[in-house]
């Protein structure tokens, strides 16, 4: 497995909750690095799910892959600090800069700030397609959950 290549090839989101993002980042920061097996054991998920989490965190710039290990980096430390301090603006700013799926959703929602009502998932998907953004139903559902 070459983590960097897998991360770049995938065009869809791997669903991950903010809680799992925090747990994995905090663990990586404490331990210095993670493997699929180490994360799987620590947070009680299967190996396949642990691999998905690590790869998505790598895509977000929150971990640095090297061989079979995923190392904590300065972004890991920053994200854990944002969570620990309840800094939602910091989390938002980080994700806007480093995570294209989040940025795409914010782009769509930002066009409707003054609307009387929110958008449905279907409306978000239609507009994302019109704007040629890379959002699918799973991405929208996961990211909307983050925003709540």
């Amino acid at each position: 497995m070459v983590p960097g290549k897998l991360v770049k090839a995938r065009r869809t989101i791997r669903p991950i909750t903010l809680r799992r993002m925090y747990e994995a980042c905090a663990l990586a920061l404490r331990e210095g690095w993670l493997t699929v097996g180490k994360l799987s054991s620590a947070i009680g998920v299967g190996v396949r799910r642990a691999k998905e989490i690590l790869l998505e965190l790598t895509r977000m710039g929150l971990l640095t892959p090297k061989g079979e290990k995923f190392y904590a980096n300065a972004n890991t430390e920053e994200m854990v600090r944002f969570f620990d301090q309840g800094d939602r603006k910091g989390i938002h700013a980080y994700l806007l800069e480093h995570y294209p799926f989040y940025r795409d959703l914010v782009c769509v929602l930002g066009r409707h700030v003054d609307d009387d009502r929110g958008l449905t998932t279907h409306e978000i998907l239609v507009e994302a397609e019109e704007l040629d953004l890379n959002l699918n139903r799973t991405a929208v559902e996961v990211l909307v959950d983050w925003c709540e």
Side-chain angles (χ1 to χ4, degrees):
M1 174 180 83
V2 181
K5 292 188 180 188
L6 290 175
V7 170
K8 292 177 185 169
R10 187 176 175 120
R11 290 185 34 96
T12 58
I13 193 172
R14 293 176 184 89
I16 178 174
T17 64
L18 286 177
R19 184 184 72 134
R20 287 290 189 217
M21 179 194 306
Y22 173 75
E23 287 175 336
C25 285
L27 182 62
L29 199 55
R30 278 194 310 275
E31 302 290 325
W33 54 268
L34 297 172
T35 61
V36 171
K38 189 182 221 181
L39 180 63
S40 173
S41 296
I43 66 173
V45 298
V47 171
R48 185 182 216 169
R49 183 68 184 133
K51 180 179 175 182
E52 286 183 344
I53 292 167
L54 291 170
L55 291 174
E56 202 63 14
L57 293 177
T58 298
R59 181 189 289 184
M60 293 177 193
L62 293 169
L63 295 173
T64 302
K66 188 169 185 178
E68 298 294 316
K69 294 180 180 178
F70 295 80
Y71 290 87
N73 58 41
N75 294 338
T76 317
E77 186 174 351
E78 181 178 46
M79 186 59 74
V80 169
R81 187 177 67 253
F82 290 150
F83 273 97
D84 287 345
Q85 294 174 352
D87 184 354
R88 293 179 183 198
K89 287 182 181 179
I91 294 168
H92 171 72
Y94 180 88
L95 292 172
L96 271 179
E97 184 178 341
H98 296 278
Y99 198 46
F101 296 111
Y102 186 81
R103 189 171 42 249
D104 287 351
L105 178 66
V106 170
C107 173
V108 171
L109 297 179
R111 296 165 54 111
H112 299 276
V113 171
D114 296 324
D115 290 1
D116 291 335
R117 66 169 187 84
L119 298 173
T120 66
T121 299
H122 177 73
E123 290 168 333
I124 293 170
L125 291 170
V126 167
E127 189 160 335
E129 188 173 338
E130 290 169 0
L131 297 171
D132 198 30
L133 301 176
N134 197 23
L135 291 174
N136 61 23
R137 181 167 297 280
T138 300
V140 170
E141 290 172 355
V142 167
L143 297 168
V144 166
D145 185 51
W146 289 7
C147 294
E148 293 177 353

